[in-house]
Every structure is written in structure tokens, then in C-alpha cells.
């Protein structure tokens, strides 16, 4: 006789992604405007021709909003809760990847929600 095995059925687990960046901690969400996901970083690296060069015209670190003007004069408004606005100043050259919503400030990459 074999011993009966206690098989537990998997219980549904819900995890609410609560972003710590609103409280000053590290960003724990991959939602638009928060942390850059690994797949998102790989996709922007695989499509280098889609970056758009721009200049920062407004940056509000408290709110997380950044206003960019491309070299063609197009206005792009983005929001990032992970601190992108703290890394830029008015006049900073940046690059924006519109398809995958990534803002590049030097070597830093930020997930940027287009407004």
C-alpha cells in the first residue's frame, strides 16, 4: 500500500504592483512611466534607428514630468516616476524611443509615459 500524498491545489495568488517610487524608494513597477523592463531594454537596443533626438525644455522633479522638443520642433511630453526628471536640466540633450516609450539620458534609460 502506498502512502497517500497530500496534494495541495494551487491557490490563486494576486500581487498588486505597488510602486515604491511614489514613496521615495526604488521603482518596483514596470507600468508605463516606471522601471524599464529587461525586454523593453532589449527591444530599444534592437531598433536603434527609431530613437528621436530631443532637448529638454522643462523638467519638474517633484511631479516627474518632462517636456521635450525634438530637433524637428515636435513637442513631446513624458512622465516618469522613477526619477528621470531629477537627472535632466533644461537644455539637456536626450533621446526618446516612441515605440517602446524609453527616454535615454546619457547612459541611463527611463520608462517614459507619453502624455
Amino acid at each position: 500500500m502506498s502512502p497517500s500524498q497530500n496534494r495541495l491545489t494551487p491557490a490563486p495568488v494576486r500581487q498588486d504592483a505597488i510602486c515604491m517610487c511614489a514613496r521615495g524608494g526604488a521603482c518596483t513597477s514596470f507600468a508605463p512611466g516606471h522601471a524599464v523592463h529587461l525586454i523593453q531594454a532589449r527591444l530599444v537596443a534592437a531598433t536603434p534607428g527609431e530613437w528621436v533626438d530631443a532637448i529638454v525644455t522643462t523638467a519638474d522633479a517633484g511631479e516627474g514630468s518632462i517636456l521635450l522638443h525634438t530637433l524637428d520642433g515636435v513637442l513631446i511630453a513624458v512622465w516618469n516616476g522613477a526619477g528621470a526628471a531629477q537627472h535632466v536640466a533644461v537644455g539637456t540633450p536626450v533621446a526618446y524611443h516612441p515605440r517602446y516609450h524609453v527616454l535615454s539620458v546619457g547612459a541611463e534609460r527611463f520608462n517614459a509615459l507619453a502624455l
Side-chain angles (χ1 to χ4, degrees), residues 11-33:
V13 178
R14 291 187 195 180
Q15 292 182 344
D16 292 327
I18 300 171
C19 183
M20 296 302 293
C21 68
R23 298 186 186 120
C27 197
T28 55
S29 171
F30 296 113

Side-chain angles (χ1 to χ4, degrees), residues 1 48 69 91:
M1 181 185 296
H69 275 88

